[in-house]
Amino acid sequence: MNDVEKARNKLLIALFVESHRPERRQLSREQLQSEYFLKMDTPLFNGLAKELRDAGLIKIYPDRATYVVRLRSDAHAAALGRILAAIDAESFNVNWQGQRIGTDADSELSRELLKAIPDGWLLLTWAKDDPAPTTPTHSPLTSQHISAARDVIMVGGNVHHPADAGGDRGSLGWTKWRTIFGGLGLIVAIAAIFVAEYL
């Protein structure tokens, strides 16, 4: 996948996630950069916006020399189909209230594309052969899904994935921070499950 295809898929993922926000809004290139970590110059953004509009996926509105954009409400299924194909997944569940995304995507490319989610959100993954959650609001972190090698924690737009830790794995400093991040992630996941189930 080349850089233009990656930018197109990241933009579509960001707009798909944004479409789950309770209030509808249009996003500028600057908002997408600051809220969804999309880095693209104005000509590329304008070109992708027109392309996705012509495909019937997004609405664009002129704003000075560029556009503000949003996913069309009737293009949800088409956008999801493209996202699943791009990240090679069978599921992609967005829980806006719980600030988490669940998916069975687990490739290097999918982890790069899925950086286009809001700051501080949890990105929870499970293997394709595991049963997927029945609804987007159900957390995939049940007893059979907790796996330090597969679960991904998205913090500040950066993916922390234990299976990707390369190089100096045995060092005491890295082990300490992996333990701290893992523990914090587990606490946040348990809190999210508690909130989803009991509140």
Side-chain angles (χ1 to χ4, degrees):
M1 187 176 291
N2 63 40
D3 288 344
V4 174
E5 292 168 323
K6 288 178 185 176
R8 180 188 305 116
N9 287 314
K10 285 181 179 181
L11 177 58
L12 195 55
I13 288 168
L15 293 177
F16 182 81
V17 171
E18 176 69 23
S19 74
H20 289 77
R21 181 187 289 271
E23 65 276 2
R24 304 275 296 168
R25 65 179 187 151
Q26 296 86 31
L27 297 174
S28 67
R29 183 183 66 84
E30 292 80 11
Q31 287 173 300
L32 286 161
Q33 181 171 326
S34 64
E35 297 177 31
Y36 288 91
F37 306 97
L38 292 182
K39 294 186 175 112
M40 60 181 79
D41 58 26
T42 302
L44 177 60
F45 174 76
N46 289 350
L48 292 176
K50 289 179 182 176
E51 180 184 311
L52 291 173
R53 178 203 55 197
D54 293 345
L57 294 171
I58 69 171
K59 289 190 175 183
I60 65 175
Y61 305 93
D63 182 41
R64 294 165 299 210
T66 184
Y67 303 100
V68 292
V69 297
R70 71 173 175 85
L71 189 72
R72 293 176 56 102
S73 56
D74 61 351
H76 190 88
L80 180 57
R82 284 192 178 206
I83 291 167
L84 292 174
I87 63 176
D88 187 28
E90 296 173 7
S91 60
F92 184 77
N93 302 326
V94 178
N95 181 334
W96 185 270
Q97 289 74 19
Q99 296 190 336
R100 64 183 182 263
I101 291 173
T103 182
D104 59 357
D106 194 28
S107 68
E108 186 72 31
L109 175 60
S110 69
R111 285 192 290 276
E112 181 180 347
L113 294 177
L114 292 173
K115 289 181 180 178
I117 67 173
D119 189 17
W121 277 44
L122 292 178
L123 176 60
L124 308 173
T125 64
W126 57 88
K128 282 189 173 68
D129 56 351
D130 286 345
T134 55
T135 66
T137 57
H138 175 57
S139 171
L141 276 182
T142 60
S143 58
Q144 73 229 29
H145 294 299
I146 294 175
S147 167
R150 286 198 310 259
D151 297 336
V152 178
I153 302 170
M154 182 70 78
V155 181
N158 295 316
V159 174
H160 303 282
H161 195 291
D164 292 340
D168 206 271
R169 295 182 102 158
S171 74
L172 180 60
W174 176 243
T175 303
K176 178 179 77 172
W177 285 110
R178 279 182 44 187
T179 304
I180 290 170
F181 282 128
L184 288 174
L186 185 57
I187 290 168
V188 170
I190 290 170
I193 291 170
F194 176 82
V195 168
E197 297 294 326
Y198 298 106
L199 296 181

